[in-house]
């Protein structure tokens, strides 16, 4: 099957948007990702999927820990910055949680220690045990059919 057909079909699955962060070699690193899932309640485990060509892969392998920030609907520019869609050279000022860089004002921030990793096709799955978490109120920034979406727009269409 054609790669574009597969990618477009997978785009029909609406997802939240996260920024995955870590710190390696004294530098903070972040990338936008929508490949995130909750795995287990006991112990509290999550999984992220990182492309094998992404710089973030080696940073997480080295650090053996990562943080995940679930972006709020007003954080689209942050998503675009960490997705490489904004290339104006600006630096992001991270907040900190449990010694890890996080996105301030996100709906959820959590820090994780890597407990296992698996290569799967052209990606590596990292399973992380959650070590700390902050949860805030608000609506999520969504991604659907290759575009950013906002819950309030969907709610308006339903009424």
């Amino acid at each position: 099957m054609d790669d574009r057909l597969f990618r477009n079909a997978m785009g029909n699955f609406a997802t939240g948007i996260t920024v995955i962060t870590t710190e390696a070699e004294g530098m903070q690193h972040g990338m936008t990702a929508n490949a995130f899932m909750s795995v287990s309640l006991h112990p509290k485990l999550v999984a992220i999927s990182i492309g094998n060509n992404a710089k973030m892969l080696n940073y997480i392998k080295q650090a053996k820990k990562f943080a995940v920030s679930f972006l709020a609907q007003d954080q689209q520019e942050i998503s675009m910055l960490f997705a490489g869609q904004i290339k104006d050279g600006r630096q992001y000022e991270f907040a900190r949680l449990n010694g890890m860089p996080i996105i301030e004002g996100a709906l959820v921030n959590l820090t994780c220690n890597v407990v296992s990793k698996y290569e799967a096709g052209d990606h590596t799955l990292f399973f992380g045990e959650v070590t700390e978490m902050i949860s805030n109120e608000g609506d999520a920034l969504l991604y659907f059919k290759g575009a950013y979406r906002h819950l309030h727009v969907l709610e308006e269409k339903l009424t």
Side-chain angles (χ1 to χ4, degrees):
M1 100 188 46
D2 176 73
D3 287 352
R4 176 50 56 191
L5 175 66
F6 182 77
R7 186 180 184 109
N8 289 347
M10 294 303 101
N12 284 308
F13 184 70
T15 64
I17 301 174
T18 70
V19 172
I20 308 297
T21 53
T22 195
E23 192 166 272
E25 299 173 0
M27 299 284 294
Q28 301 164 339
H29 307 278
M31 68 171 279
T32 298
N34 64 353
F36 165 87
M37 72 176 185
S38 174
V39 174
S40 169
L41 189 57
H42 300 288
K44 291 168 183 52
L45 298 175
V46 299
I48 59 172
S49 178
I50 306 293
N52 289 337
N53 292 327
K55 293 177 186 175
M56 182 62 80
L57 182 73
N58 287 326
Y59 298 142
I60 293 175
K61 283 181 177 179
Q62 180 184 348
K64 297 183 175 60
K65 56 186 176 178
F66 60 88
V68 182
S69 298
F70 302 3
L71 296 187
Q73 69 181 3
D74 64 346
Q75 294 181 311
Q76 181 174 328
E77 188 173 312
I78 293 170
S79 173
M80 293 171 73
L81 179 67
F82 287 103
Q85 297 168 333
I86 297 175
K87 301 178 189 286
D88 60 7
R90 75 176 89 165
Q91 297 295 313
Y92 184 81
E93 188 67 35
F94 290 100
R96 306 286 291 182
L97 175 65
N98 198 25
M100 294 292 294
I102 60 166
I103 304 298
E104 189 167 10
L107 293 181
V108 173
N109 302 104
L110 48 91
T111 60
C112 303
N113 290 328
V114 173
V115 294
S116 59
K117 67 180 184 312
Y118 299 94
E119 286 191 28
D122 58 4
H123 279 62
T124 297
L125 302 174
F126 289 93
F127 290 83
E129 184 167 8
V130 177
T131 55
E132 189 71 42
M133 185 181 81
I134 297 172
S135 183
N136 296 305
E137 291 296 316
D139 285 336
L141 180 61
L142 302 176
Y143 203 69
F144 178 66
K145 290 192 174 186
Y148 291 100
R149 309 295 176 138
H150 300 270
L151 283 175
H152 69 276
V153 174
L154 298 175
E155 290 168 351
E156 289 170 4
K157 288 181 179 180
L158 293 174
T159 57

